[in-house]
Amino acid sequence: MSPKAPITQDVMTIPRKLPEGKVNLVGLTRDQLREALIEHGTPEKQAKMRTGQIWQWIYQWGVRDFAEMTNLAKAYRAQLAERFVIEIPEVVTRQVSEDGTRKYLCRIAGGHEVEVVYIPEEDRGTLCISSQVGCTLTCSFCHTGTQKLVRNLTAAEIVGQVMMARDDLEEWPTPGAPKDETRLLSNIVLMGMGEPLYNFENVRDAMKIAMDPEGISLSRRRITLSTSGVVPEIARTAEEIGCLLAISFHATTDETRDVLVPINKRWNIEELLEALASYPKASNSERITFEYVMLDGVNDSDEDAHRLIDHIKRYNIPAKINLIPFNEWPGAPYKRSSNNRIRAFANIIYQAGYASPIRKTRGEDIMAACGQLKSATERARKSRKQIAAEAGLQS
Ligand code: SAH
Ligand code: SF4
């Protein structure tokens, strides 16, 4: 990996005062929005209609100012502005890679930061969003897993990342304009920082908002949730979200998976496969994506490829195997498998009748690739510590 300077780096500091006592409407489910409106003086009889109108302004048109909600009476708009805000995470920095990948660093309440990555491709545009600040799990190959700081994101902060990207891509439609079918932001993957199934309710509510046909309106088939294997929450994901599922599989024996993905010590490969086998039917979706990071000499042998296929066949799981060349980060304990090794591994899987795409590494020059996300403040803290250590000082 050659660290190159990003093409552009804008630093935005948008001063923002958090208005005391006001309620943020972003991230509320329709029912919660209706309740909030009633609680703050909207007559019950009107509440359903007002909920629909305000919902459309926020999620269909991207409006943040009550004054622009022109189908509401002026006095009512003023009343709303006194009690509510429409607020999303603030963009702190925005970097654009040589390949068009965009990485945003967003600040959320409490001064925490999360990273969001936009990846443009020929036929789609994928937004990789975060569900937590850091991650409580400690997968040994993952940069996020080394971050100490952890907090769950709220539903507002999760769907807010999508709204922030639509702002940046200037993709909110204008009233009366024809519907644009070729969207810049057409897919969402929950593959940023955090374990989404350890923040289930907030992730669910945020994704429900993103799918709502009177708003952002993304199909559930264009949303992929990636989990390291929180087995008890997998059936619930099928029932309550119904999106596509990706699983961080990464190893074919419990011995190796215990080290790479330590949650395996809690729910092992057999338990995980059992839960996965019921997912496609329960969620009425197609294949499950098995993510498999290629680590030199650790999990990349021909035997591993055969064992992987055996596991999937044994449970008859409709699957696609996504091979991810390991993205190295400073101090990482592993090396990326050679291209030849990755191709040989992919070929065994392909011969067994499964799709085995090798994931293209995107945005490497701006540390935006899979598993490289870690907040800048955390990095800065660590490097100061490192500097102190190198200088023989006590930190
Ligand atoms: N916590 C969830 C989602 C975030 S990680 C999960 O683990 O599934 C998104 C994907 O990136 C996972 O498959 C993860 O295993 C992979 N990943 C993490 N670090 C990586 C690295 N350094 N190189 C390549 N992929 C990595
Ligand atoms: Fe957490 Fe996923 Fe990284 Fe594991 S791979 S530490 S679960 S973000």
Side-chain angles (χ1 to χ4, degrees), residues 132 134-146 191-196 226-229 248 250 260-263 371:
Q132 299 181 309
C135 185
T136 51
L137 299 167
T138 51
C139 301
S140 52
F141 57 90
C142 174
H143 201 33
T144 306
T146 65
M191 294 188 186
M193 294 161 70
E195 169 48 59
S226 173
T227 179
S228 58
S248 290
H250 305 320
L260 297 181
V261 191
I263 200 176

Side-chain angles (χ1 to χ4, degrees), residues 154-174:
T154 62
E157 289 160 348
I158 298 168
V159 74
Q161 296 170 54
V162 181
M163 297 163 76
M164 175 280 296
R166 291 199 94 186
D167 286 356
D168 188 53
L169 296 165
E170 295 180 12
E171 200 172 39
W172 294 103
T174 43

Side-chain angles (χ1 to χ4, degrees), residues 3-294:
K4 284 174 235 144
I7 300 279
T8 66
Q9 171 161 5
D10 308 336
V11 179
M12 292 183 234
T13 27
I14 305 156
R16 193 189 48 160
K17 259 197 259 152
L18 257 183
E20 284 290 320
K22 291 194 183 181
V23 175
N24 187 10
L25 295 185
V26 176
L28 302 184
T29 62
R30 276 179 187 268
D31 285 347
Q32 290 167 340
L33 176 56
R34 185 172 167 275
E35 276 163 35
L37 293 178
I38 293 171
E39 204 174 298
H40 290 271
T42 301
E44 233 178 298
K45 269 200 212 142
Q46 297 178 11
K48 190 165 179 231
M49 186 175 174
R50 300 287 169 251
T51 300
Q53 289 170 315
I54 295 168
W55 185 278
Q56 278 192 327
W57 282 116
I58 299 177
Y59 297 113
Q60 187 159 344
W61 309 116
V63 162
R64 304 284 148 75
D65 185 349
F66 293 104
E68 287 176 44
M69 301 185 177
T70 47
N71 57 357
L72 302 176
K74 262 201 173 149
Y76 184 59
R77 284 184 244 162
Q79 190 187 328
L80 289 172
E82 272 171 32
R83 288 160 187 158
F84 301 113
V85 288
I86 302 166
E87 220 173 51
I88 64 167
E90 170 193 357
V91 177
V92 184
T93 63
R94 168 184 178 276
Q95 290 169 281
V96 182
S97 159
E98 291 179 321
D99 64 15
T101 302
R102 299 181 186 198
K103 182 170 84 169
Y104 309 93
L105 186 66
C106 295
R107 186 167 302 138
I108 56 170
H112 302 300
E113 288 166 349
V114 284
E115 292 182 340
V116 183
V117 178
Y118 173 73
I119 307 150
E121 286 172 283
E122 237 165 62
D123 58 339
R124 67 178 71 183
T126 304
L127 192 71
C128 179
I129 62 173
S130 294
S131 56
Q132 299 181 309
V133 178
C135 185
T136 51
L137 299 167
T138 51
C139 301
S140 52
F141 57 90
C142 174
H143 201 33
T144 306
T146 65
Q147 180 165 334
K148 296 266 169 351
L149 205 66
V150 181
R151 121 144 145 69
N152 276 341
L153 298 190
T154 62
E157 289 160 348
I158 298 168
V159 74
Q161 296 170 54
V162 181
M163 297 163 76
M164 175 280 296
R166 291 199 94 186
D167 286 356
D168 188 53
L169 296 165
E170 295 180 12
E171 200 172 39
W172 294 103
T174 43
K179 237 187 156 177
D180 184 4
E181 297 301 334
T182 51
R183 292 219 208 158
L184 291 172
L185 198 171
S186 62
N187 293 59
I188 296 177
V189 293
L190 280 145
M191 294 188 186
M193 294 161 70
E195 169 48 59
L197 296 190
Y198 274 165
N199 186 15
F200 188 89
E201 281 84 7
N202 288 322
V203 166
R204 175 199 58 204
D205 291 351
M207 291 306 101
K208 285 290 193 200
I209 294 171
M211 292 176 201
D212 190 291
E214 277 176 35
I216 299 167
S217 180
L218 282 172
S219 147
R220 63 189 187 85
R221 292 197 161 78
R222 288 185 173 271
I223 299 178
T224 303
L225 183 149
S226 173
T227 179
S228 58
V230 186
V231 165
E233 303 288 11
I234 289 179
R236 218 175 145 203
T237 305
E239 270 164 43
E240 297 181 30
I241 310 179
C243 58
L244 301 183
L245 188 70
I247 185 85
S248 290
F249 208 70
H250 305 320
T252 62
T253 63
D254 281 326
E255 199 188 354
T256 307
R257 198 163 190 271
D258 280 352
V259 176
L260 297 181
V261 191
I263 200 176
N264 196 69
K265 290 188 239 168
R266 180 75 180 77
W267 296 287
N268 66 17
I269 291 180
E270 287 307 311
E271 289 170 289
L272 176 59
L273 289 167
E274 229 167 83
L276 294 179
S278 339
Y279 191 88
K281 202 160 163 231
S283 65
N284 187 26
S285 63
E286 298 128 37
R287 294 176 301 178
I288 292 179
T289 302
F290 281 67
E291 298 167 275
Y292 200 93
V293 64
M294 297 298 290

